[in-house]
Amino acid sequence: MNDNTTSLSWNAGWAAATQRPSEGFHKNWAQEGFADQTVRQIVRVTGSGTSARIKLSHRYGTAPLELTGATIALADKGAAERAGSVRPLTFGGARSVQVPAGEEIYSDAAEVHVAPFESLTVSLYFARPTGPASFHAQAYATTYRAAGDQLAAADPAVFGETTVSWYYLAAVELADGGPARDDTVVVFGDSLTDGFASTIDGNRRYSDALAERLADQGTPRPVLNQGIGGNLLLNDSAWYGDRAGDRFRPDVLDQPGVRSVVVLVGLNDIGFSEIELPTYRPNPDQSPAELIAGYRELIRQARAAGVRITGATIMPFKGAEYHTPTAEAKRREVNPGYAPRASSMRSPTSPRRWPTRPTRTRCSPPTTAATTSTRTTRAIARWPPPSTSPRSDHAPLGPAM
């Protein structure tokens, strides 16, 4: 992996968890890849800086990936970029780069002045066929594609094709010439974290709301979303990413300046075994003891790295297709089972639970019981309290609310 180290100290700006190429719930280009095409992706950062670099992931590639050119710019409406903000990206001083199969690579620094909650475009041109693309399936942000090299195109209308996934782009890191930050918060989990069914281009995931809340309270910090819709605590999935225990280090502990992680995962391990669907496999019947052991492994990894971990209880999910009395009994046994071992334990569900129906959350139609409405997302974001204490204090995210 080429870190392309410079004198700059790099801070978290934006990140997304990388998945194997798959069909997904929405049309995407992961399995077909790209050939003589430009892909323009839009991401909203929660940090700020005067320089930026990107991280490209070819984690699931089987042959070298050839990137012909790339740019970064401040985003305007749709696929448009703000005039005068486009900057070419280089890799070790070269405009093109070859990424070995299974590897990740950083670009060089580019001068980009960006404030918190501004959006950036990252455009990638692939002259030669890429093969299937490592990607993040459920971005709920529009990605654009155009034929040929359109890195310098002034007319955004050339980008006539769209999906709602991100391709190869794993992170945007920012620097401002100052020291490295050590207050990054990572939210980690499944669809409730990933933002499944949230408004496209609305930036309404709970990580977005949490970052906004922290800024409003005068304690701004980067918040990274490392959720994957359908993710499992104990099993890898062709559709839903590597199991949480295996991806915890690269997706959480290896992020710049990480101090706190909020973990909300496990519902799918309980629910998938209750019904037979091809996309839910593997779906073994996991015992509460096995799930609790999986949580404790995440806790062990976080503590060994000096990162504060806050565990979220599994939310009520009656109304979901896989809710059964057996699944509900598991949820009730698992929730208290790992609480004594976590650095902090919180329930995000209590303010959104029906008073007379404790197995349901107040999810607004047409949201399913296993996903979140915008109101529920905002409620979850009010739950993890912020921390202003130094990383070395090993302090919780803050006082209980």
Side-chain angles (χ1 to χ4, degrees):
M1 180 167 132
N2 173 22
D3 286 331
N4 209 22
T5 303
T6 70
S7 59
L8 294 172
S9 296
W10 292 101
N11 301 308
W14 169 91
T18 304
Q19 299 171 242
R20 294 176 179 83
S22 66
E23 183 178 344
F25 287 109
H26 304 274
K27 71 169 185 175
N28 68 68
W29 305 315
Q31 292 180 317
E32 66 186 88
F34 308 97
D36 190 26
Q37 291 168 319
T38 302
V39 184
R40 178 162 293 172
Q41 307 179 75
I42 300 173
V43 300
R44 189 176 80 150
V45 300
T46 54
S48 63
T50 55
S51 296
R53 69 176 183 178
I54 67 170
K55 181 169 75 171
L56 298 177
S57 177
H58 193 36
R59 185 181 299 178
Y60 301 107
T62 57
L65 171 69
E66 295 185 24
L67 175 67
T68 311
T71 61
I72 190 168
L74 296 174
D76 204 336
K77 295 180 180 179
E81 298 168 316
R82 287 194 216 170
S85 72
V86 180
R87 302 288 184 268
L89 288 171
T90 58
F91 301 82
R95 293 288 183 97
S96 62
V97 68
Q98 186 176 91
V99 187
E103 297 294 324
E104 297 176 332
I105 191 168
Y106 287 93
S107 74
D108 301 328
E111 183 181 352
V112 179
H113 292 250
V114 61
F117 309 118
E118 285 193 306
S119 293
L120 297 170
T121 67
V122 176
S123 302
L124 309 174
Y125 172 55
F126 302 98
R128 297 173 56 83
T130 64
S134 300
F135 82 135
H136 184 86
Q138 297 171 18
Y140 291 95
T142 304
T143 289
Y144 302 86
R145 183 170 71 176
D149 181 355
Q150 303 295 343
L151 294 178
D155 183 3
V158 300
F159 290 91
E161 299 178 88
T162 63
T163 70
V164 289
S165 301
W166 289 307
Y167 305 88
Y168 297 116
L169 186 61
V172 175
E173 295 182 359
L174 304 172
D176 58 9
R181 302 183 63 140
D182 65 352
D183 59 354
T184 299
V185 177
V186 180
V187 299
F188 178 81
D190 51 32
S191 60
L192 293 169
T193 300
D194 201 12
F196 181 77
S198 64
T199 304
I200 294 174
D201 298 327
N203 295 308
R204 292 181 178 176
R205 311 162 194 87
Y206 103 74
S207 56
D208 296 303
L210 175 59
E212 292 163 5
R213 173 197 149 202
L214 293 171
D216 289 344
Q217 293 182 177
T219 56
R221 68 204 60 202
V223 177
L224 301 181
N225 188 319
Q226 294 287 27
I228 296 178
N231 199 220
L232 297 160
L233 177 64
L234 300 178
N235 290 282
D236 295 342
S237 167
W239 276 47
Y240 308 126
D242 293 350
R243 72 183 191 94
D246 283 350
R247 70 183 189 90
F248 192 70
R249 174 159 294 282
D251 289 352
V252 176
L253 302 182
D254 290 345
Q255 299 305 312
V258 62
R259 183 174 69 187
S260 304
V261 58
V262 181
V263 175
L264 178 52
V265 69
L267 174 60
N268 298 315
D269 296 77
I270 292 173
F272 282 7
S273 63
E274 297 300 304
I275 57 176
E276 279 297 326
L277 287 176
T279 58
Y280 284 1
R281 296 178 187 143
N283 57 342
D285 186 1
Q286 308 283 180
S287 70
E290 290 172 311
L291 288 165
I292 291 167
Y295 291 125
R296 289 178 175 172
E297 171 58 21
L298 299 184
I299 294 166
R300 185 199 64 77
Q301 290 187 48
R303 286 183 167 175
V307 172
R308 184 71 187 184
I309 181 168
T310 296
T313 53
I314 299 173
M315 296 173 69
F317 64 106
K318 190 170 184 178
E321 61 186 351
Y322 48 54
H323 185 274
T324 66
T326 298
E328 179 61 27
K330 283 185 183 179
R331 183 185 76 84
R332 290 172 179 262
E333 184 174 348
V334 166
N335 274 342
Y338 75 104
R341 299 295 184 94
S343 302
S344 180
M345 194 70 190
R346 300 285 189 270
S347 173
T349 64
S350 53
R352 302 300 300 167
R353 189 179 294 160
W354 290 106
T356 59
R357 302 165 77 182
T359 59
R360 290 182 181 267
T361 51
R362 294 178 178 174
C363 296
S364 303
T367 306
T368 71
T371 61
T372 52
S373 67
T374 298
R375 288 190 302 160
T376 304
T377 294
R378 296 284 165 178
I380 294 173
R382 289 195 297 270
W383 152 71
S387 168
T388 56
S389 48
R391 179 178 181 179
S392 58
D393 282 355
H394 204 85
L397 283 175
M401 296 182 67

